[in-house]
Amino acid sequence: MLKQAEEGRLLKKLAAAVGGKYDLQANHGEVGAWRNSLPVLLELLCVAGLSHVEVLLEHRLPYSPKRVDALLCGRHPDSGEVSYVLVELKQWSSAEAVGNGLVKAAGVRNLQLPPVAQVRRYCQHLLDFTPSLARRAEPVRAIAYLHNALFRDINDLYNYESHGLVQLYAADQREGLIAHLRSLLDPDPDSRADAQQAADDLLAAERAPARTLLKTAADSFEQRDDFVLLDEQQVAFNLVMDAVLLAERAGDRWTSEGKTVIIVCGGPGSGKSALAMTLLTKLARHGKRILHATGSKAFTETLWERVARGDQRISKMFGYFNTISGRKNELDVLVCDESHRIRGGHPERRALPEYERRQINSLIDAAKVPVFLLDEHQVVRPDERGTPGNIKAAAEERGYEVQLVDLEGQFRCGGTKLFDEWVVRLLGLSDERPIGWSDLVASTRDEYVVHAAPDANSLEQWLLQRSSMFGGSARISAGYCWDWNPPERLDGKLVLAADIDINGWHRPWNTPPGDSVPDAPPASLWASDPRGFGQVGCVYTAQGFEYDWSGVIFGEDLVIRDGAWRAQQDKTKDPKLKKPTSTRFFDRLVRNIYKVLLTRGMQGVCLHSRDPETNEFLQHFAR
């Protein structure tokens, strides 16, 4: 392998295995790291007399997008048992602690986790999702090797605890590193066959949440207030539990022919997430292998923050659709929340061919009981294919039973279905014509508040007044009809660019994904962090969340002309929606976008359009 690295053949193999598009001549980024670090590690193994150990490069952790730089597989020299060593390689020449468990490395733009903390989490993740290893954690150890740094230049990094799993080494500690590796991996060349077997066993090992992780998660979930499931929510819960019980009774006799796919449809706030959390709590408590996945970065990161509450182990119970792949039926239950975000292929084909159902099929395959929670009126991107029809067709084509449940309640918007009805009628998503809000709720005791503002400033003032008088959170969201520029420096301070300009009312979008700006929350926490009020969110940061008072600004991508809605694709700034597609398909997507934005508020909503004719229409029906 060292010869392949020196000749450049290893880079081609790695690029093909990882599946990305790489410039193999680059000397930066991931290719640069491979080029500069892997020969150092492989040469070190040769010097240590460990050239016979099996080396898994860029080993992807189970149910995670994260990859370990190198995973060494061999036999322990003392016990004779399998031994695995995770290796994190860094090209840093120096680094210093900056507080809060973060470090600043020379030549690296963003703050980083200490290398020992990073690779220790990889160790824990491997143990948490490989039950055969979790039963005997001793064979798993890790090292972080800063091969371009001297001890004196990274002295701060040695203050971070490794909990016995991880050791940190600098370039001038090479002899100590060699001795450490020889204490973990048998240097006897006759152990080559055992090393190969250790690698094969790891690659073939069952991947699922270990019982230790399930117990930790269940204990945490049950400390939260219990959700009370009502009507169809309880029906859906019972269907899942019955399907799990049938699979459990079948035991080793269970086959995929007995699989039940459960699809739960419901509008905003209908209780889909309450159902998901209840399933996680109950099934984890009973040791069932269960995971929660979504296609929304903001939604998943908020679950990490608000449900896992910063506990890194519990956060692993919440992942993404694209990390759920591999061998079939390794999970007992997979809860696919926000399933309308499932990706597919060409957006306008009526029938989805097999290759375009790849993500749907991988999610169905992953568990004995796959559960899909969705609202098809929240499909807002051309490549989103998570509809009940598509999921049902994919399941039935393979002979699986399908159970479909509609959650009829609408709990978010004031606990009433009337507002949801008003929205779908307003946007032309219903066969019934729009109706004034006061007319719709006449003779009812509905207390939900609907208002339309003459200008953007009035909308903002209305939200401030409502949240001040009645309490609760407030947010402003808008159609993606303004440029979204990176943060800029103003008087030496990094600030959000005030891209949105409506007749002199200037506000920024929320923080761009991946960026960090002082005094502003990250994009994924815009809806839940109190500092989010100063920015305007779009559908990608608002979808899946709620706040008490919602302000919605219509852009020129959807306007009223002669009393009817007209979608204007040339007005959108959303790169996902600017791609060529039919006017009819864009029209459906943009109406869904505004339905999502309009249904985020739990106590009330205020509307405004920058287009005068559209704003007159909104004011008429919001009365």
Side-chain angles (χ1 to χ4, degrees), residues 154-233:
I154 58 170
N155 190 48
D156 279 358
L157 304 189
Y158 289 85
N159 295 326
Y160 294 98
E161 289 187 48
S162 63
H163 296 281
L165 282 174
V166 188
Q167 297 295 323
L168 175 66
Y169 292 94
D172 51 352
Q173 296 176 304
R174 177 173 152 133
E175 293 305 315
L177 172 56
I178 288 174
H180 184 56
L181 288 174
R182 288 172 64 91
S183 74
L184 298 175
L185 298 162
D186 195 335
D188 185 350
D190 290 341
S191 66
R192 180 185 300 274
D194 290 335
Q196 292 174 342
Q197 188 62 53
D200 291 342
D201 289 346
L202 180 63
L203 293 173
E206 176 192 51
R207 304 177 308 163
R211 287 188 178 274
T212 52
L213 175 60
L214 291 170
K215 183 180 185 305
T216 300
D219 289 345
S220 174
F221 296 154
E222 289 191 348
Q223 290 173 8
R224 301 175 60 85
D225 294 335
D226 286 340
F227 293 105
V228 178
L229 301 184
L230 303 173
D231 302 332
E232 289 81 7
Q233 293 172 312

Side-chain angles (χ1 to χ4, degrees), residues 268-338:
S270 56
K272 299 187 295 296
S273 294
L275 173 62
M277 286 303 305
T278 304
L279 287 170
L280 279 170
T281 301
K282 301 301 182 186
L283 292 170
R285 172 56 62 200
H286 287 89
K288 297 302 176 185
R289 301 166 300 175
I290 181 170
L291 288 178
H292 179 284
T294 80
S296 167
K297 185 174 187 291
F299 190 62
T300 300
E301 290 190 359
T302 298
L303 289 172
W304 293 345
E305 178 80 13
R306 303 300 181 187
V307 178
R309 295 175 179 174
D311 189 308
Q312 293 295 325
R313 294 191 69 204
I314 299 170
S315 294
K316 299 169 189 173
M317 301 292 292
F318 303 99
Y320 298 104
F321 294 152
N322 61 8
T323 65
I324 307 295
S325 61
R327 292 179 291 276
K328 298 181 179 180
N329 305 315
E330 286 187 312
L331 300 173
D332 292 311
V333 178
L334 174 63
V335 178
C336 301
D337 211 342
E338 301 277 301

Side-chain angles (χ1 to χ4, degrees), residues 67-86:
R67 289 180 265 122
V68 182
D69 289 341
L71 202 158
L72 312 181
C73 310
R75 184 178 69 188
H76 198 281
D78 296 328
S79 68
E81 299 291 329
V82 295
S83 182
Y84 299 107
V85 181
L86 283 66

Side-chain angles (χ1 to χ4, degrees), residues 112-123:
Q112 304 287 315
L113 280 177
V116 291
Q118 180 183 352
V119 73
R120 177 167 52 81
R121 292 175 189 219
Y122 291 172
C123 271

